[in-house]
Amino acid sequence: LCCCEYVDRRGERNHLAACCCDCEELDDGCDRWLTCKSLPPGALERIADTIADRLRVPWFSGAVKINVSLVPPLVLLPVFLHVAALHFLLGLIILTSLPVVVLWYYYLTHRRKERTLFFLSLGLFSLGYMYYVFLQEVVPRGHVGYSQVVALTCGLILMLAALSRAKKDPGYLPILAGNEKPSHQGLPDKSVRGSSSGLHGISGAASSRAVNGEAKGYSRMSTEQPEGVKKDWCTKCQLVRPARAGHCRLCGRCVRRLDHHCVWINSCVGEQNHQAFILALSFFMLTSVYGITLTLHTICRGRTPFVALFYCPGAYSDYSSALSFTCVWYCAIVTAGMGYILLIQMLNISYNVTEREARLALRDNTGRRLLGGLVIDTGQYNRGFLCNWGHFLSLGSSPPQRSAEDIV
């Protein structure tokens, strides 16, 4: 392939120069629209798939496909923030609508069980753009020292390093080869269940709703280990999984000690990357709060950061201050959301319960709500605050032991 050629989703060789030609789905859709005929089912999806497949850029070994979900944050975020800086009312409308749009898109993709890079792209580009605005609009005012800029930069680098580690293997269970059929003849039929590992009292007639990756059709064949810990059989991955492991319907894999699938890193959070995930959230919170404080001290002199966030009379005196103040509010909204996620994670760790186990316990009414419903205590793995944190800090420190069932 030359730099402008590619193999499309149908396996045919194409060229970027012909990307606007020979689109049967689009031609048929236009013909039906002109003749006032309704589109056949799935026509819009096929047109969107064709456009997404042809969205490519030249590269040395052939044209590289661009993920469509990466584009909106790169284009819309700067536009919205600059428009919001024009007037206070515009800023209020845009900053109020942005979280609503993001949540709507999250529920749309989550309901369709789709993986998307939109949230990861939005998070990384937001970090880069906020840092750019800080260097271009805040630092030149002379109220921020070099040591403070270095501290903010180091926090950003540490957060990105932790995020990179969190993007790695969360603890996927190995997938057997296609010609291998795992044997489970020794498993008693009476132990077939519809529950998730680690939860008691859930019958095989459990709800068919998917709960954090668990869906109807997962027959569970539990075996008692010498320690009395149950293992489950996953019909999708065709393997026996250890206690607290779960199947993610978005990744299509079983993960050890599955907590949840995080859209912000476009990956699961499990046994191998949970610590890095918490570390990335913590560094983000510290860096974001520090950057917000430095910016408010610069554009709203003489006021505390909390007061300046709600009352800063000179914020819209010039466009540079207005843009900085708008970015501060955008950072504050994102920081509040991430702070809530971090709080829930810290509480779950303190009670040694995963997000997946909490959702399943709520579904089957097997757990008890604590702290106003912020945490669900299943009671099975809770060994006290210090022991729970000690268990969390030791995750991934030693390679998981593989039993005879896993090997088979």
Side-chain angles (χ1 to χ4, degrees):
L1 296 175
C2 75
C3 64
C4 295
E5 289 182 322
Y6 66 94
V7 178
D8 63 12
R9 61 194 180 101
R10 296 179 179 178
E12 300 175 355
R13 188 166 177 166
N14 280 296
H15 196 277
L16 288 180
C19 65
C20 297
C21 306
D22 191 24
C23 182
E24 297 177 2
E25 291 84 0
L26 184 60
D27 293 341
D28 181 65
C30 292
D31 291 340
R32 286 179 170 271
W33 179 72
L34 292 174
T35 56
C36 299
K37 296 181 180 179
S38 61
L39 293 177
L44 293 179
E45 288 79 2
R46 290 193 295 270
I47 293 174
D49 291 340
T50 302
I51 295 175
D53 185 55
R54 296 184 178 188
L55 187 61
R56 298 172 182 261
V57 294
W59 199 247
F60 299 104
S61 58
V64 178
K65 184 178 178 181
I66 300 176
N67 196 308
V68 181
S69 60
L70 293 172
V71 179
L74 305 182
V75 177
L76 298 179
L77 182 63
V79 173
F80 283 159
L81 291 179
H82 279 276
V83 171
L86 295 176
H87 194 271
F88 170 75
L89 292 179
L90 286 174
L92 183 62
I93 294 173
I94 291 177
L95 292 176
T96 303
S97 60
L98 274 179
V100 177
V101 173
V102 171
L103 287 175
W104 169 80
Y105 186 73
Y106 166 74
Y107 285 114
L108 180 65
T109 55
H110 189 72
R111 186 174 64 251
R112 294 181 178 179
K113 305 177 185 179
E114 297 177 354
R115 295 190 67 179
T116 176
L117 292 174
F118 173 83
F119 299 97
L120 180 60
S121 173
L122 177 61
L124 292 178
F125 185 67
S126 296
L127 287 173
Y129 192 71
M130 295 303 105
Y131 186 68
Y132 169 78
V133 172
F134 180 79
L135 295 180
Q136 289 293 114
E137 306 295 341
V138 180
V139 174
R141 293 174 178 265
H143 300 293
V144 178
Y146 288 107
S147 59
Q148 294 171 318
V149 175
V150 170
L152 187 68
T153 305
C154 290
L156 184 62
I157 293 174
L158 290 174
M159 193 276 297
L160 291 176
L163 181 63
S164 176
R165 174 61 188 86
K167 281 285 295 174
K168 295 182 179 179
D169 182 13
Y172 291 123
L173 291 175
I175 298 179
L176 298 177
N179 57 350
E180 296 180 8
K181 295 297 181 181
S183 173
H184 50 270
Q185 295 176 357
L187 302 181
D189 293 337
K190 65 181 180 179
S191 61
V192 177
R193 295 182 181 272
S195 64
S196 296
S197 59
L199 294 180
H200 298 296
I202 308 175
S203 65
S207 171
S208 61
R209 294 174 302 168
V211 180
N212 197 28
E214 297 295 337
K216 186 177 181 179
Y218 289 87
S219 300
R220 308 298 178 75
M221 299 188 180
S222 303
T223 58
E224 292 289 344
Q225 292 181 325
E227 297 81 2
V229 179
K230 290 186 177 181
K231 288 192 171 186
D232 291 333
W233 171 257
C234 178
T235 59
K236 294 294 184 181
C237 297
Q238 293 290 295
L239 52 80
V240 178
R241 59 193 185 194
R244 310 191 77 178
H247 186 89
C248 176
R249 61 179 179 177
L250 298 179
C251 297
R253 297 282 299 275
C254 283
V255 182
R256 293 183 181 273
R257 198 183 178 276
L258 175 63
D259 189 85
H260 69 288
H261 182 95
C262 181
V263 295
W264 294 105
I265 64 174
N266 194 35
S267 177
C268 289
V269 177
E271 184 179 273
Q272 298 296 320
N273 68 341
H274 202 167
Q275 295 175 353
F277 178 72
I278 296 297
L279 198 60
L281 281 177
S282 301
F283 278 129
F284 171 80
M285 291 295 299
L286 293 175
T287 305
S288 180
V289 171
Y290 187 58
I292 290 173
T293 302
L294 291 178
T295 304
L296 290 177
H297 276 313
T298 300
I299 62 177
C300 300
R301 305 287 295 175
R303 289 182 173 83
T304 61
F306 183 79
V307 174
L309 191 62
F310 295 95
Y311 182 70
C312 185
Y316 287 86
S317 58
D318 59 274
Y319 188 76
S320 176
S321 298
L323 180 61
S324 301
F325 189 72
T326 302
C327 291
V328 162
W329 258 106
Y330 175 73
C331 290
I333 294 173
V334 175
T335 303
M338 295 301 167
Y340 176 77
I341 295 176
L342 180 60
L343 174 63
I344 297 300
Q345 286 289 315
M346 301 286 275
L347 291 175
N348 286 343
I349 294 171
S350 300
Y351 286 90
N352 200 2
V353 61
T354 64
E355 184 67 22
R356 168 179 167 270
E357 292 167 349
R359 293 183 182 181
L360 290 170
L362 279 179
R363 184 195 69 180
D364 300 289
N365 198 24
T366 58
R368 58 194 182 101
R369 295 176 179 267
L370 299 174
L371 302 178
L374 290 177
V375 63
I376 307 299
D377 183 19
T378 61
Q380 184 172 3
Y381 302 103
N382 188 0
R383 299 296 181 267
F385 180 83
L386 294 179
C387 290
N388 292 340
W389 273 97
H391 171 74
F392 173 76
L393 295 177
S394 64
L395 289 178
S397 58
S398 59
Q401 299 294 327
R402 298 186 65 186
S403 64
E405 291 88 347
D406 292 324
I407 297 175
V408 172

